Amino acid sequence: MSVPFLVSAPGKVIIFGEHSAVYNEPAVAASVSALRTYLFVEPSEDPEEIELDFPDINFNHKWHYNDFASILQDAEGLEEARLNTRELSQKIVSQLEVVQGELRNTLYYYAALCFCYLYVCLCPHIKGMKFHVKSTLPIGAGLGSSASISVALSLAMAHLSGHIRADKPELSVSEKKFINTWSFLGEKCIQGTPSGIDNAVATYGNAVLFKREMDGTTNFEFVEQFPQIPMVLTYTKIPRSTKTLVGNVRELVIRQPNVIKPVLTAMGQLALRGTEILDSLDDKNYEELLELVRVNHGLLVALGVSHPGLELVRFECDTNALGATKLTGAGGGGCLLTILHKTTTQEQVQQFKTKLESSYGYKTFQTDLGGIGCGILPRDLIADDKLENIKSLFCQEVSNDRIDQLLLPGKTDLHWIH
Ligand SMILES: Nc1ncnc2c1ncn2[C@@H]1O[C@H](COP(=O)(O)OP(=O)(O)O)[C@@H](O)[C@H]1O
Ligand SMILES: C[C@@](O)(CCOP(=O)(O)O)CC(=O)O
Ligand SMILES: [Mg+2]
């Protein structure tokens, strides 16, 4: 392995089944391949340091390699953590609490925990390295930025440790499984009790029907015929945290089990029926898809994860009879998706988008769903004349368009291994 190198992973849209996925119900999601987290790894100035640079959340931090000494000496503890990949090792988490003492009670704590946990487990012998992360995804918006950064870090650290060599044209099945397994633990550091759907989509890409089992294992199958659906994604810019929302739903389930458990089951049924329709979408079942979108949003409202600012988008959509709108991701703010009636005209879509942007200050996207998952550009696939340009993206403020122009897989001549 030689440095510098680059990795990336996409965001996702959950079509049906957010929150209920955490309770072992089926859910369906697709990658948003055009919105991605990029991670550039290069030598740090000080060969004894490990540095992370997360400008999207205004966080930069350096650790001296010796800060991790007591954890790295505990070979047995590390081995245990590596063997039980369904749960975080509470021993390592407590040891990292000491290393991260000064970050406690800051907004960055969980992002740093994700980084440090993956670092000590996956590449503890690496030092003198700097990790720059930049995402074209909105952060904390329901599009899976937490899973996307967990996948990017897992892939990069597996490359640093030599576990993923990136010397073949594609990542192998077992390499992707490794990334998916470790990014799930990264998601746990950030989010607490993830279902695993977000990291699966960020790893494998495409669209998946996902189910978490009672024993903590996960199953998913690709939705092979996933269609391009006319839709608008709206980002309300209302901040929220998945960890808090998932925690609130957990308390509601505990307070009202007989009422809420059937809601979660209904969401699972809805995801199964929705996937059947997506698999064979035609003019006859198209309106049923919209019906399920409307019902899914209603059930999410019942879980208490909507927000007045999200309901405004639904109001605009329903008032103009454009289609069906639901929140996507953990809710509480963040993003919604609107699936449009077949009869909705381009002019109506434009009016809808203009209204959301000018009256409410929201941002709208029209992006394809599906597409590639995580990828790596090892040093030997980065031409020397491109390296400086790539590096400059990570050392200064640049627009997302500029990042896409230079790095977006499929849109540049870079040979991403994915
Ligand atoms: N580009 C990034 N840089 C640093 N931290 C990130 C980045 N993307 C995600 N994160 C971490 O993930 C958290 C947001 O995750 P979450 O609340 O699950 O929302 P979502 O996954 O929908 O974007 C951030 O607060 C931060 O800890
Ligand atoms: C609410 C949930 O279903 C999705 C959370 O997605 P996001 O972090 O809001 O992008 C939680 C999960 O499945 O892990
Ligand atoms: Mg998340």
Side-chain angles (χ1 to χ4, degrees):
M1 176 280 309
S2 41
V3 282
F5 67 91
L6 193 62
V7 300
S8 85
K12 57 84 225 220
V13 168
I14 298 184
I15 318 283
F16 296 115
E18 45 277 271
H19 286 288
S20 43
V22 176
Y23 297 86
N24 307 325
E25 295 293 341
V28 57
S31 65
V32 191
S33 186
L35 299 176
R36 307 181 72 85
T37 299
Y38 297 91
L39 163 59
F40 183 67
V41 183
E42 64 168 346
S44 57
E45 272 167 33
D46 183 336
E48 293 301 309
E49 282 181 344
I50 295 111
E51 180 171 356
L52 62 78
D53 180 34
F54 288 180
D56 297 332
I57 59 166
N58 294 319
F59 179 50
N60 179 287
H61 198 80
K62 291 175 186 170
W63 287 273
H64 195 277
Y65 186 65
N66 291 343
D67 293 343
F68 297 98
S70 65
I71 305 180
L72 302 190
Q73 277 154 17
D74 180 9
E76 211 177 296
L78 280 176
E79 195 50 25
E80 245 169 60
R82 288 191 194 108
L83 289 175
N84 180 9
T85 50
R86 280 188 206 161
E87 292 301 331
L88 290 177
S89 152
Q90 284 316 313
K91 191 174 179 199
I92 304 261
V93 170
S94 321
Q95 287 168 319
L96 285 174
E97 268 171 21
V98 179
V99 177
Q100 289 187 269
E102 61 190 299
L103 299 175
R104 209 166 306 154
N105 301 324
T106 67
L107 287 172
Y108 323 116
Y109 185 78
Y110 296 108
L113 178 64
C114 170
F115 175 86
C116 290
Y117 192 91
L118 294 173
Y119 168 71
V120 297
C121 289
L122 294 179
C123 60
H125 302 297
I126 295 293
K127 56 183 176 175
M129 218 55 86
K130 185 166 178 177
F131 297 77
H132 303 264
V133 170
K134 273 208 181 167
S135 192
T136 58
L137 277 160
I139 314 290
L143 300 185
S145 74
S146 59
S148 156
I149 190 173
S150 299
V151 168
L153 287 169
S154 303
L155 172 50
M157 290 179 184
H159 186 54
L160 285 167
S161 69
H163 194 93
I164 291 180
R165 299 169 63 88
D167 55 359
K168 310 231 163 53
E170 287 181 4
L171 294 171
S172 70
V173 173
S174 69
E175 287 172 335
K176 285 193 184 165
K177 189 163 179 228
F178 185 88
I179 298 164
N180 189 33
T181 301
W182 281 96
S183 57
F184 177 62
L185 293 168
E187 262 281 77
K188 269 187 180 280
C189 292
I190 297 175
Q191 203 252 62
T193 54
S195 62
I197 189 170
D198 288 10
N199 53 280
V201 174
T203 301
Y204 293 94
N206 303 314
V208 301
L209 174 61
F210 175 94
K211 188 171 178 331
R212 185 180 155 75
E213 303 298 341
M214 292 297 274
D215 64 1
T217 56
T218 55
N219 272 318
F220 67 88
E221 55 193 71
F222 291 110
V223 184
E224 298 290 350
Q225 304 297 326
F226 192 80
Q228 288 308 328
I229 318 161
M231 58 173 279
V232 177
L233 260 182
T234 306
Y235 174 35
T236 61
K237 303 182 188 163
I238 300 164
R240 86 304 171 278
S241 133
T242 299
K243 190 177 175 65
T244 308
L245 287 147
V246 168
N248 292 347
V249 171
R250 169 144 298 116
E251 284 166 20
L252 180 64
V253 175
I254 293 169
R255 277 198 308 277
Q256 304 287 355
N258 296 340
V259 179
I260 298 300
K261 281 186 183 162
V263 173
L264 299 170
T265 313
M267 290 164 103
Q269 290 305 309
L270 196 149
L272 287 178
R273 178 64 194 135
T275 308
E276 270 173 19
I277 296 176
L278 287 167
D279 243 340
S280 60
L281 193 63
D282 57 24
D283 285 346
K284 285 207 282 301
N285 59 21
Y286 190 84
E287 284 300 314
E288 194 189 336
L289 185 73
L290 272 67
E291 176 172 78
L292 294 177
V293 168
R294 183 174 56 73
V295 175
N296 197 164
H297 183 77
L299 297 176
L300 288 161
V301 172
L303 293 187
V305 297
S306 190
H307 182 282
L310 295 176
E311 295 307 315
L312 287 173
V313 180
R314 227 161 63 90
F315 173 80
E316 293 296 341
C317 169
D318 291 355
T319 305
N320 298 298
L322 302 179
T325 294
K326 73 178 269 292
L327 68 85
T328 185
C335 288
L336 307 100
L337 70 93
T338 298
I339 301 194
L340 302 161
H341 289 302
K342 286 251 160 117
T343 48
T344 301
T345 63
Q346 200 46 46
E347 194 187 345
Q348 286 174 302
V349 175
Q350 199 45 55
Q351 277 167 1
F352 176 58
K353 290 172 63 170
T354 305
K355 175 84 193 195
L356 295 175
E357 287 175 7
S358 57
S359 298
Y360 304 116
Y362 295 171
K363 185 170 178 186
T364 61
F365 303 85
Q366 275 186 290
T367 175
D368 287 349
L369 297 186
I372 71 162
C374 65
I376 178 163
L377 256 185
R379 172 66 189 94
D380 57 353
L381 291 185
I382 308 176
D384 290 344
D385 61 332
K386 294 251 165 66
L387 188 58
E388 278 313 305
N389 282 344
I390 292 177
K391 194 172 165 174
S392 71
L393 290 179
F394 292 88
C395 298
Q396 55 186 307
E397 236 176 81
V398 288
S399 68
N400 286 352
D401 285 348
R402 180 76 186 137
I403 297 177
D404 288 345
Q405 221 175 33
L406 284 182
L407 303 181
L408 187 62
K411 298 280 183 225
T412 68
D413 56 0
L414 297 172
H415 295 287
W416 286 93
I417 297 175
H418 57 85

